[in-house]
Amino acid sequence: MNDELDRMLAGLATVPTPGRLANMDGLVLSRLSIEAVEARAGARIGAGAAVGALVMGLIFSSALSAPSPGASLSAFGSSAALAPSTLLEGGR
């Protein structure tokens, strides 16, 4: 069995390389370089989107965190009489 395989491989070694396979190394390497360029472009787009999201978050959070002039929240304010703990007592 091994002798037959060795003979087949030796016969394959004498066959000239097909033309399509002769320049395959260059094609593979050029394709890898193209994919590397595309990957870098995708990383730049992703980084830009992340920075944009952070900037938008900061802008909207600062706009929403400004206190409204009429809203006053206090634990001991006038709305404390409507708290569930006082309403559940039922006048005890």
Side-chain angles (χ1 to χ4, degrees), residues 9-65:
L9 288 174
L12 188 59
T14 60
V15 176
T17 306
R20 292 186 335 193
L21 295 178
N23 60 356
M24 183 167 280
D25 293 340
L27 292 173
V28 168
L29 291 176
S30 67
R31 178 64 187 214
L32 288 176
S33 67
I34 289 171
E35 289 180 6
V37 169
E38 291 173 352
R40 278 182 270 161
R44 279 191 225 115
I45 290 172
V51 168
L54 286 173
V55 168
M56 285 177 38
L58 288 173
I59 289 171
F60 288 122
S61 68
S62 66
L64 296 176
S65 67

Short mmCIF file of all heavy atoms in Angstrom, two decimals, residues 9-65:
data_model
loop_
_atom_site.label_atom_id
_atom_site.label_comp_id
_atom_site.label_asym_id
_atom_site.label_seq_id
_atom_site.Cartn_x
_atom_site.Cartn_y
_atom_site.Cartn_z
N LEU A 9 2.71 9.52 -5.72
CA LEU A 9 3.25 10.84 -5.39
C LEU A 9 4.45 11.19 -6.25
O LEU A 9 4.63 12.34 -6.65
CB LEU A 9 3.61 10.91 -3.90
CG LEU A 9 2.43 10.96 -2.93
CD1 LEU A 9 2.91 10.88 -1.50
CD2 LEU A 9 1.61 12.21 -3.16
N ALA A 10 5.28 10.20 -6.56
CA ALA A 10 6.42 10.44 -7.44
C ALA A 10 5.96 10.80 -8.84
O ALA A 10 6.52 11.67 -9.50
CB ALA A 10 7.32 9.21 -7.47
N GLY A 11 4.90 10.15 -9.30
CA GLY A 11 4.34 10.48 -10.60
C GLY A 11 3.73 11.87 -10.61
O GLY A 11 3.81 12.60 -11.60
N LEU A 12 3.12 12.27 -9.53
CA LEU A 12 2.54 13.61 -9.42
C LEU A 12 3.62 14.68 -9.40
O LEU A 12 3.42 15.79 -9.90
CB LEU A 12 1.68 13.68 -8.15
CG LEU A 12 0.84 14.93 -7.96
CD1 LEU A 12 -0.13 15.11 -9.12
CD2 LEU A 12 0.09 14.87 -6.65
N ALA A 13 4.77 14.36 -8.84
CA ALA A 13 5.88 15.32 -8.79
C ALA A 13 6.43 15.62 -10.17
O ALA A 13 6.99 16.70 -10.40
CB ALA A 13 6.97 14.80 -7.88
N THR A 14 6.29 14.71 -11.10
CA THR A 14 6.83 14.93 -12.46
C THR A 14 5.88 15.72 -13.33
O THR A 14 6.29 16.26 -14.36
CB THR A 14 7.12 13.58 -13.13
OG1 THR A 14 5.91 12.83 -13.23
CG2 THR A 14 8.16 12.79 -12.34
N VAL A 15 4.61 15.83 -12.93
CA VAL A 15 3.63 16.57 -13.72
C VAL A 15 3.88 18.07 -13.53
O VAL A 15 4.07 18.54 -12.40
CB VAL A 15 2.19 16.21 -13.27
CG1 VAL A 15 1.16 17.03 -14.01
CG2 VAL A 15 1.94 14.73 -13.46
N PRO A 16 3.89 18.85 -14.62
CA PRO A 16 4.10 20.30 -14.45
C PRO A 16 2.91 20.96 -13.74
O PRO A 16 1.77 20.49 -13.83
CB PRO A 16 4.23 20.81 -15.89
CG PRO A 16 3.63 19.76 -16.75
CD PRO A 16 3.75 18.47 -16.01
N THR A 17 3.20 22.02 -13.05
CA THR A 17 2.17 22.74 -12.31
C THR A 17 1.22 23.43 -13.28
O THR A 17 1.67 24.09 -14.21
CB THR A 17 2.82 23.81 -11.40
OG1 THR A 17 3.79 23.17 -10.58
CG2 THR A 17 1.81 24.50 -10.53
N PRO A 18 -0.09 23.29 -13.07
CA PRO A 18 -1.04 23.98 -13.95
C PRO A 18 -0.87 25.50 -13.84
O PRO A 18 -0.44 26.03 -12.81
CB PRO A 18 -2.41 23.56 -13.41
CG PRO A 18 -2.17 22.32 -12.65
CD PRO A 18 -0.77 22.42 -12.13
N GLY A 19 -1.19 26.19 -14.92
CA GLY A 19 -1.01 27.64 -14.97
C GLY A 19 -1.79 28.39 -13.90
O GLY A 19 -1.32 29.39 -13.36
N ARG A 20 -2.98 27.91 -13.58
CA ARG A 20 -3.78 28.60 -12.56
C ARG A 20 -3.14 28.49 -11.18
O ARG A 20 -3.30 29.38 -10.35
CB ARG A 20 -5.18 28.01 -12.50
CG ARG A 20 -5.98 28.29 -13.74
CD ARG A 20 -7.40 27.83 -13.63
NE ARG A 20 -7.59 26.75 -12.67
CZ ARG A 20 -8.67 26.03 -12.58
NH1 ARG A 20 -9.68 26.26 -13.39
NH2 ARG A 20 -8.78 25.07 -11.69
N LEU A 21 -2.44 27.41 -10.92
CA LEU A 21 -1.81 27.23 -9.62
C LEU A 21 -0.45 27.91 -9.52
O LEU A 21 0.05 28.15 -8.43
CB LEU A 21 -1.65 25.74 -9.31
CG LEU A 21 -2.94 24.95 -9.14
CD1 LEU A 21 -2.62 23.48 -8.89
CD2 LEU A 21 -3.77 25.50 -8.01
N ALA A 22 0.16 28.23 -10.67
CA ALA A 22 1.50 28.81 -10.66
C ALA A 22 1.50 30.19 -9.99
O ALA A 22 2.45 30.55 -9.30
CB ALA A 22 2.03 28.91 -12.07
N ASN A 23 0.45 30.97 -10.21
CA ASN A 23 0.43 32.33 -9.64
C ASN A 23 -0.54 32.44 -8.46
O ASN A 23 -0.95 33.53 -8.10
CB ASN A 23 0.08 33.35 -10.72
CG ASN A 23 -1.28 33.10 -11.34
OD1 ASN A 23 -1.93 32.13 -11.02
ND2 ASN A 23 -1.67 33.97 -12.24
N MET A 24 -0.89 31.32 -7.85
CA MET A 24 -1.84 31.34 -6.75
C MET A 24 -1.27 32.05 -5.52
O MET A 24 -2.01 32.73 -4.80
CB MET A 24 -2.27 29.94 -6.37
CG MET A 24 -3.32 29.94 -5.27
SD MET A 24 -4.09 28.37 -5.05
CE MET A 24 -5.26 28.39 -6.38
N ASP A 25 0.01 31.96 -5.27
CA ASP A 25 0.60 32.63 -4.10
C ASP A 25 0.36 34.13 -4.15
O ASP A 25 -0.03 34.75 -3.16
CB ASP A 25 2.10 32.34 -4.01
CG ASP A 25 2.40 30.89 -3.72
OD1 ASP A 25 1.50 30.19 -3.23
OD2 ASP A 25 3.54 30.46 -3.99
N GLY A 26 0.61 34.71 -5.32
CA GLY A 26 0.40 36.15 -5.46
C GLY A 26 -1.05 36.54 -5.28
O GLY A 26 -1.35 37.57 -4.67
N LEU A 27 -1.95 35.72 -5.81
CA LEU A 27 -3.38 36.02 -5.66
C LEU A 27 -3.82 35.94 -4.20
O LEU A 27 -4.59 36.79 -3.73
CB LEU A 27 -4.20 35.04 -6.51
CG LEU A 27 -4.06 35.19 -8.02
CD1 LEU A 27 -4.80 34.06 -8.73
CD2 LEU A 27 -4.58 36.54 -8.47
N VAL A 28 -3.36 34.94 -3.49
CA VAL A 28 -3.72 34.79 -2.08
C VAL A 28 -3.18 35.96 -1.27
O VAL A 28 -3.89 36.55 -0.44
CB VAL A 28 -3.21 33.44 -1.53
CG1 VAL A 28 -3.33 33.39 -0.02
CG2 VAL A 28 -3.97 32.29 -2.16
N LEU A 29 -1.94 36.33 -1.49
CA LEU A 29 -1.35 37.43 -0.73
C LEU A 29 -2.01 38.76 -1.05
O LEU A 29 -2.20 39.60 -0.17
CB LEU A 29 0.16 37.49 -0.98
CG LEU A 29 0.95 36.33 -0.39
CD1 LEU A 29 2.42 36.43 -0.79
CD2 LEU A 29 0.81 36.28 1.11
N SER A 30 -2.39 38.97 -2.31
CA SER A 30 -3.07 40.22 -2.65
C SER A 30 -4.46 40.27 -2.01
O SER A 30 -4.90 41.31 -1.54
CB SER A 30 -3.17 40.39 -4.16
OG SER A 30 -4.03 39.41 -4.71
N ARG A 31 -5.13 39.12 -1.96
CA ARG A 31 -6.44 39.07 -1.32
C ARG A 31 -6.33 39.34 0.18
O ARG A 31 -7.17 40.03 0.77
CB ARG A 31 -7.08 37.70 -1.58
CG ARG A 31 -8.40 37.49 -0.95
CD ARG A 31 -9.44 38.43 -1.51
NE ARG A 31 -10.67 38.30 -0.76
CZ ARG A 31 -11.85 38.42 -1.28
NH1 ARG A 31 -11.97 38.69 -2.55
NH2 ARG A 31 -12.91 38.29 -0.53
N LEU A 32 -5.29 38.81 0.81
CA LEU A 32 -5.09 39.05 2.24
C LEU A 32 -4.81 40.53 2.51
O LEU A 32 -5.27 41.08 3.51
CB LEU A 32 -3.95 38.19 2.77
CG LEU A 32 -4.25 36.70 2.89
CD1 LEU A 32 -3.00 35.94 3.32
CD2 LEU A 32 -5.37 36.47 3.87
N SER A 33 -4.05 41.17 1.64
CA SER A 33 -3.77 42.60 1.86
C SER A 33 -5.03 43.43 1.67
O SER A 33 -5.24 44.41 2.39
CB SER A 33 -2.65 43.07 0.94
OG SER A 33 -3.09 43.04 -0.41
N ILE A 34 -5.88 43.05 0.73
CA ILE A 34 -7.15 43.77 0.54
C ILE A 34 -8.03 43.61 1.77
O ILE A 34 -8.64 44.58 2.24
CB ILE A 34 -7.86 43.25 -0.73
CG1 ILE A 34 -7.11 43.71 -1.98
CG2 ILE A 34 -9.30 43.73 -0.78
CD1 ILE A 34 -7.63 43.09 -3.26
N GLU A 35 -8.10 42.40 2.31
CA GLU A 35 -8.92 42.18 3.50
C GLU A 35 -8.38 42.93 4.71
O GLU A 35 -9.14 43.40 5.55
CB GLU A 35 -9.02 40.69 3.79
CG GLU A 35 -9.89 39.95 2.79
CD GLU A 35 -9.99 38.46 3.06
OE1 GLU A 35 -9.49 38.01 4.11
OE2 GLU A 35 -10.60 37.77 2.24
N ALA A 36 -7.06 43.07 4.79
CA ALA A 36 -6.48 43.83 5.90
C ALA A 36 -6.85 45.30 5.81
O ALA A 36 -7.15 45.94 6.83
CB ALA A 36 -4.96 43.65 5.91
N VAL A 37 -6.86 45.85 4.60
CA VAL A 37 -7.24 47.25 4.41
C VAL A 37 -8.71 47.44 4.76
O VAL A 37 -9.09 48.41 5.43
CB VAL A 37 -6.95 47.69 2.95
CG1 VAL A 37 -7.58 49.03 2.63
CG2 VAL A 37 -5.46 47.73 2.69
N GLU A 38 -9.56 46.49 4.34
CA GLU A 38 -10.98 46.58 4.66
C GLU A 38 -11.22 46.47 6.17
O GLU A 38 -12.10 47.14 6.71
CB GLU A 38 -11.75 45.49 3.92
CG GLU A 38 -11.81 45.71 2.42
CD GLU A 38 -12.44 44.54 1.68
OE1 GLU A 38 -12.69 43.49 2.31
OE2 GLU A 38 -12.66 44.67 0.48
N ALA A 39 -10.45 45.63 6.84
CA ALA A 39 -10.60 45.48 8.28
C ALA A 39 -10.22 46.77 9.01
O ALA A 39 -10.87 47.17 9.97
CB ALA A 39 -9.76 44.32 8.79
N ARG A 40 -9.15 47.43 8.53
CA ARG A 40 -8.77 48.71 9.16
C ARG A 40 -9.83 49.77 8.94
O ARG A 40 -10.12 50.57 9.83
CB ARG A 40 -7.42 49.17 8.62
CG ARG A 40 -6.25 48.49 9.31
CD ARG A 40 -4.95 48.99 8.79
NE ARG A 40 -4.66 48.07 7.69
CZ ARG A 40 -3.82 48.29 6.71
NH1 ARG A 40 -3.15 49.39 6.65
NH2 ARG A 40 -3.63 47.41 5.76
N ALA A 41 -10.43 49.78 7.75
CA ALA A 41 -11.49 50.76 7.48
C ALA A 41 -12.70 50.48 8.37
O ALA A 41 -13.31 51.42 8.90
CB ALA A 41 -11.88 50.70 6.00
N GLY A 42 -13.03 49.22 8.56
CA GLY A 42 -14.14 48.88 9.45
C GLY A 42 -13.87 49.26 10.89
O GLY A 42 -14.77 49.70 11.61
N ALA A 43 -12.63 49.12 11.32
CA ALA A 43 -12.27 49.50 12.69
C ALA A 43 -12.39 51.01 12.86
O ALA A 43 -12.83 51.49 13.91
CB ALA A 43 -10.86 49.04 13.01
N ARG A 44 -12.01 51.77 11.83
CA ARG A 44 -12.14 53.23 11.92
C ARG A 44 -13.61 53.64 12.00
O ARG A 44 -13.97 54.54 12.75
CB ARG A 44 -11.49 53.88 10.70
CG ARG A 44 -10.01 54.02 10.83
CD ARG A 44 -9.44 54.91 9.73
NE ARG A 44 -8.25 54.24 9.23
CZ ARG A 44 -8.09 53.76 8.02
NH1 ARG A 44 -9.03 53.91 7.12
NH2 ARG A 44 -6.99 53.15 7.67
N ILE A 45 -14.45 52.98 11.22
CA ILE A 45 -15.87 53.30 11.26
C ILE A 45 -16.46 52.96 12.63
O ILE A 45 -17.24 53.72 13.19
CB ILE A 45 -16.61 52.56 10.13
CG1 ILE A 45 -16.21 53.14 8.77
CG2 ILE A 45 -18.12 52.62 10.31
CD1 ILE A 45 -16.72 52.35 7.59
N GLY A 46 -16.07 51.82 13.17
CA GLY A 46 -16.55 51.43 14.50
C GLY A 46 -16.09 52.39 15.58
O GLY A 46 -16.86 52.74 16.48
N ALA A 47 -14.85 52.84 15.50
CA ALA A 47 -14.34 53.80 16.48
C ALA A 47 -15.08 55.13 16.35
O ALA A 47 -15.41 55.77 17.35
CB ALA A 47 -12.85 53.99 16.31
N GLY A 48 -15.35 55.55 15.13
CA GLY A 48 -16.09 56.79 14.92
C GLY A 48 -17.50 56.70 15.47
O GLY A 48 -18.01 57.66 16.06
N ALA A 49 -18.13 55.55 15.29
CA ALA A 49 -19.49 55.37 15.82
C ALA A 49 -19.47 55.39 17.34
O ALA A 49 -20.38 55.95 17.98
CB ALA A 49 -20.07 54.06 15.31
N ALA A 50 -18.46 54.79 17.96
CA ALA A 50 -18.36 54.79 19.42
C ALA A 50 -18.15 56.20 19.95
O ALA A 50 -18.78 56.61 20.93
CB ALA A 50 -17.23 53.88 19.87
N VAL A 51 -17.29 56.96 19.31
CA VAL A 51 -17.05 58.35 19.74
C VAL A 51 -18.32 59.18 19.56
O VAL A 51 -18.69 59.97 20.44
CB VAL A 51 -15.86 58.96 18.96
CG1 VAL A 51 -15.78 60.46 19.16
CG2 VAL A 51 -14.57 58.29 19.39
N GLY A 52 -19.01 58.98 18.44
CA GLY A 52 -20.26 59.70 18.21
C GLY A 52 -21.30 59.38 19.26
O GLY A 52 -22.02 60.26 19.74
N ALA A 53 -21.41 58.11 19.64
CA ALA A 53 -22.37 57.71 20.66
C ALA A 53 -22.02 58.34 22.01
O ALA A 53 -22.92 58.78 22.74
CB ALA A 53 -22.41 56.20 20.77
N LEU A 54 -20.74 58.38 22.33
CA LEU A 54 -20.33 59.00 23.60
C LEU A 54 -20.65 60.49 23.61
O LEU A 54 -21.14 61.02 24.61
CB LEU A 54 -18.84 58.78 23.84
CG LEU A 54 -18.45 57.37 24.26
CD1 LEU A 54 -16.93 57.24 24.28
CD2 LEU A 54 -19.02 57.05 25.61
N VAL A 55 -20.37 61.17 22.51
CA VAL A 55 -20.64 62.61 22.44
C VAL A 55 -22.14 62.86 22.55
O VAL A 55 -22.57 63.76 23.30
CB VAL A 55 -20.06 63.20 21.13
CG1 VAL A 55 -20.56 64.61 20.88
CG2 VAL A 55 -18.54 63.19 21.19
N MET A 56 -22.94 62.09 21.82
CA MET A 56 -24.39 62.27 21.91
C MET A 56 -24.89 61.98 23.32
O MET A 56 -25.77 62.69 23.83
CB MET A 56 -25.10 61.37 20.90
CG MET A 56 -24.99 61.86 19.49
SD MET A 56 -25.73 60.79 18.24
CE MET A 56 -27.17 60.16 18.99
N GLY A 57 -24.35 60.98 23.97
CA GLY A 57 -24.74 60.67 25.33
C GLY A 57 -24.42 61.80 26.29
O GLY A 57 -25.22 62.14 27.16
N LEU A 58 -23.24 62.37 26.13
CA LEU A 58 -22.86 63.50 27.00
C LEU A 58 -23.74 64.71 26.76
O LEU A 58 -24.15 65.39 27.71
CB LEU A 58 -21.39 63.85 26.78
CG LEU A 58 -20.38 62.85 27.33
CD1 LEU A 58 -18.97 63.24 26.89
CD2 LEU A 58 -20.47 62.80 28.83
N ILE A 59 -24.04 64.99 25.50
CA ILE A 59 -24.87 66.15 25.18
C ILE A 59 -26.28 65.97 25.76
O ILE A 59 -26.81 66.87 26.42
CB ILE A 59 -24.93 66.38 23.66
CG1 ILE A 59 -23.57 66.88 23.16
CG2 ILE A 59 -26.02 67.36 23.28
CD1 ILE A 59 -23.45 66.94 21.66
N PHE A 60 -26.88 64.81 25.51
CA PHE A 60 -28.25 64.60 25.97
C PHE A 60 -28.33 64.46 27.48
O PHE A 60 -29.31 64.88 28.10
CB PHE A 60 -28.89 63.41 25.27
CG PHE A 60 -29.21 63.68 23.83
CD1 PHE A 60 -28.69 62.90 22.84
CD2 PHE A 60 -30.04 64.74 23.49
CE1 PHE A 60 -28.98 63.15 21.51
CE2 PHE A 60 -30.33 64.99 22.16
CZ PHE A 60 -29.81 64.20 21.17
N SER A 61 -27.32 63.87 28.09
CA SER A 61 -27.38 63.75 29.55
C SER A 61 -27.21 65.10 30.22
O SER A 61 -27.82 65.36 31.25
CB SER A 61 -26.32 62.77 30.05
OG SER A 61 -25.02 63.30 29.86
N SER A 62 -26.40 65.98 29.65
CA SER A 62 -26.26 67.30 30.25
C SER A 62 -27.51 68.13 30.02
O SER A 62 -27.88 68.94 30.85
CB SER A 62 -25.03 68.02 29.69
OG SER A 62 -25.20 68.28 28.31
N ALA A 63 -28.18 67.92 28.89
CA ALA A 63 -29.41 68.67 28.62
C ALA A 63 -30.55 68.18 29.52
O ALA A 63 -31.38 68.97 29.95
CB ALA A 63 -29.80 68.52 27.15
N LEU A 64 -30.59 66.90 29.80
CA LEU A 64 -31.67 66.36 30.60
C LEU A 64 -31.44 66.48 32.10
O LEU A 64 -32.37 66.40 32.88
CB LEU A 64 -31.90 64.88 30.25
CG LEU A 64 -32.37 64.61 28.83
CD1 LEU A 64 -32.47 63.12 28.59
CD2 LEU A 64 -33.72 65.27 28.59
N SER A 65 -30.19 66.66 32.50
CA SER A 65 -29.91 66.71 33.93
C SER A 65 -30.10 68.10 34.52
O SER A 65 -29.97 68.27 35.72
CB SER A 65 -28.48 66.22 34.20
OG SER A 65 -27.55 67.14 33.66
#
